[in-house]
Amino acid sequence: MSQETAPPEPKKPIGRPTLRTIAEMTGFAVTTVSRALADDPRIAKTTRETVAEAAREVGYVPDRAARRLRTGRTQVVSLLLNTDHEFLGFTHEILAGITEALRGTGYSVTVVPDSLRGDRLEQVREILRNHLADGLLFTRTECFDPRARLMMEAGFPFVTHGRTEFTEPHAWVDFDNEAFARMAVERLVARGRRRISLVPPDDRFTFTQHLRYGFVSAARAAAVDHEVIQDVTIDQPMSQVAEILRQRCTEADAPDGYVCVGEATALVALGALADAGVVPGRDVDLVSKRASPIFDHIRPRIETVFEDVRATGKVMAEMLLRRMEGEPPDQLHHLFAPEGGFSMPPH
């Protein structure tokens, strides 16, 4: 009488599991396993799920050190990020875009804080000295940004969020702040405003020059009074911005229109106006850039222009991948336009 026997238990790997271990378990090629673990969308979803389950089962962890020795690459890109930003949700949105672009490439992103008031070269030197990344992304560019200069001299791949004034080309992604400022002034003038104010970023940043030029040239063309406030910038504590705006509201020549660079400044301006008893939509109007849906839920309603920070992060990371593969930097530029005009949240 024959007796059925249970199939043998699969052999558990001895020692540290590798890509080959997972390949033998699943029957896929090592290259397929590698791409599946990197969540490469070109690999079938069922294959990615099978490989991921096998990796969990054996406790596989990628050996970045071995990969670095083999290829000379870290498989890491670094993002130098100013976490105090005029946009609410900026960090989340730009990281979401970068992560989307890196999915399936084997690259991951590390975030390195960038202090606007400290030595902005310190972190860059550390990355270059210890080869902590294969490429660099950074925000808040200066006209002659020392970080860009250092990386150009080192021949290190990088992409900036914002332009510089160097004659030597480098890869950049930017938003057309000059066009936004023009549109904002023209919108306020169309609403009958004749004294328009702007709280600027610090003068050293390139986008400040773009904002200032668009703002002043549009106001002059419309023959309206205008001011770029000199006593405070959006990069100073919001309490200082609020105090300057409250004081300005009480003066005889107080502005009746405000151009706000981002959501944080716009919210501070709304608070300062409320403290002074000034009613937006009646006594004054505000227009602002935004990167989040916050103004859909804020009253009073103000008109806004959307800057897609997630798309910015995605394009920056895509450019960096191309730059790391050797594509010339003079072909890697993208300027986002303020498309769609101003929008007012629904009632």
Side-chain angles (χ1 to χ4, degrees), residues 65-83:
R67 182 182 296 172
R68 180 170 179 172
L69 287 172
R70 186 173 64 253
T71 65
R73 291 194 171 190
T74 64
Q75 294 297 112
V76 169
V77 299
S78 287
L79 170 66
L80 292 178
L81 185 65
N82 166 35
T83 52

Side-chain angles (χ1 to χ4, degrees), residues 148-188:
R149 179 186 288 111
L150 179 59
M151 286 184 286
M152 285 190 288
E153 291 172 351
F156 192 78
F158 71 98
V159 179
T160 64
H161 179 212
R163 286 162 279 178
T164 68
E165 295 184 6
F166 290 116
T167 55
E168 182 178 349
H170 64 79
W172 56 262
V173 179
D174 203 0
F175 180 80
D176 194 341
N177 283 287
E178 180 184 332
F180 159 72
R182 288 181 183 276
M183 289 171 57
V185 170
E186 289 166 0
R187 184 60 178 163
L188 289 169

Side-chain angles (χ1 to χ4, degrees), residues 263-284:
E263 295 141 334
T265 310
L267 290 172
V268 168
L270 285 172
L273 293 170
D275 290 346
V278 178
V279 180
R282 186 192 68 189
D283 306 319
V284 301

Side-chain angles (χ1 to χ4, degrees), residues 180-203:
F180 159 72
R182 288 181 183 276
M183 289 171 57
V185 170
E186 289 166 0
R187 184 60 178 163
L188 289 169
V189 171
R191 294 180 67 85
R193 302 308 174 185
R194 308 298 296 174
R195 298 184 304 279
I196 302 174
S197 180
L198 168 71
V199 179
D202 191 282
D203 278 344

Side-chain angles (χ1 to χ4, degrees), residues 150-321:
L150 179 59
M151 286 184 286
M152 285 190 288
E153 291 172 351
F156 192 78
F158 71 98
V159 179
T160 64
H161 179 212
R163 286 162 279 178
T164 68
E165 295 184 6
F166 290 116
T167 55
E168 182 178 349
H170 64 79
W172 56 262
V173 179
D174 203 0
F175 180 80
D176 194 341
N177 283 287
E178 180 184 332
F180 159 72
R182 288 181 183 276
M183 289 171 57
V185 170
E186 289 166 0
R187 184 60 178 163
L188 289 169
V189 171
R191 294 180 67 85
R193 302 308 174 185
R194 308 298 296 174
R195 298 184 304 279
I196 302 174
S197 180
L198 168 71
V199 179
D202 191 282
D203 278 344
R204 63 181 163 140
F205 300 120
T206 314
F207 83 121
T208 308
Q209 314 310 319
H210 301 154
L211 282 165
R212 185 187 296 270
Y213 183 78
F215 176 83
V216 171
S217 58
R220 286 176 176 170
V224 296
D225 292 337
H226 56 280
E227 65 177 12
V228 178
I229 293 180
Q230 302 297 316
D231 300 325
V232 73
T233 74
I234 64 171
D235 298 307
Q236 292 173 248
M238 286 294 107
S239 59
Q240 294 181 22
V241 178
E243 181 57 35
I244 290 292
L245 292 180
R246 276 194 294 268
Q247 178 182 336
R248 195 71 187 87
C249 289
T250 64
E251 296 171 357
D253 61 344
D256 59 7
Y258 291 87
V259 176
C260 300
V261 177
E263 295 141 334
T265 310
L267 290 172
V268 168
L270 285 172
L273 293 170
D275 290 346
V278 178
V279 180
R282 186 192 68 189
D283 306 319
V284 301
D285 281 303
L286 285 77
V287 293
S288 177
K289 271 199 303 175
R290 67 178 178 90
S292 76
I294 185 66
F295 285 113
D296 293 346
H297 311 288
I298 295 293
R299 301 296 180 268
R301 296 174 175 86
I302 67 171
E303 291 187 278
T304 59
V305 164
F306 180 62
E307 180 175 344
D308 195 336
V309 176
R310 183 172 299 209
T312 297
K314 184 172 186 289
V315 174
M316 288 178 69
E318 290 171 344
M319 279 191 183
L320 185 59
L321 291 170

Side-chain angles (χ1 to χ4, degrees), residues 73-80 102 107-110 112 127-128 131-138 151 155-159 316-317 320-321 323-324:
R73 291 194 171 190
T74 64
Q75 294 297 112
V76 169
V77 299
S78 287
L79 170 66
L80 292 178
L102 296 180
Y107 274 93
S108 60
V109 58
T110 61
V112 181
I127 291 167
L128 293 176
H131 194 193
L132 300 179
D134 298 328
L136 196 60
L137 304 165
F138 66 85
M151 286 184 286
F156 192 78
F158 71 98
V159 179
M316 288 178 69
L320 185 59
L321 291 170
R323 185 73 190 98
M324 290 189 298

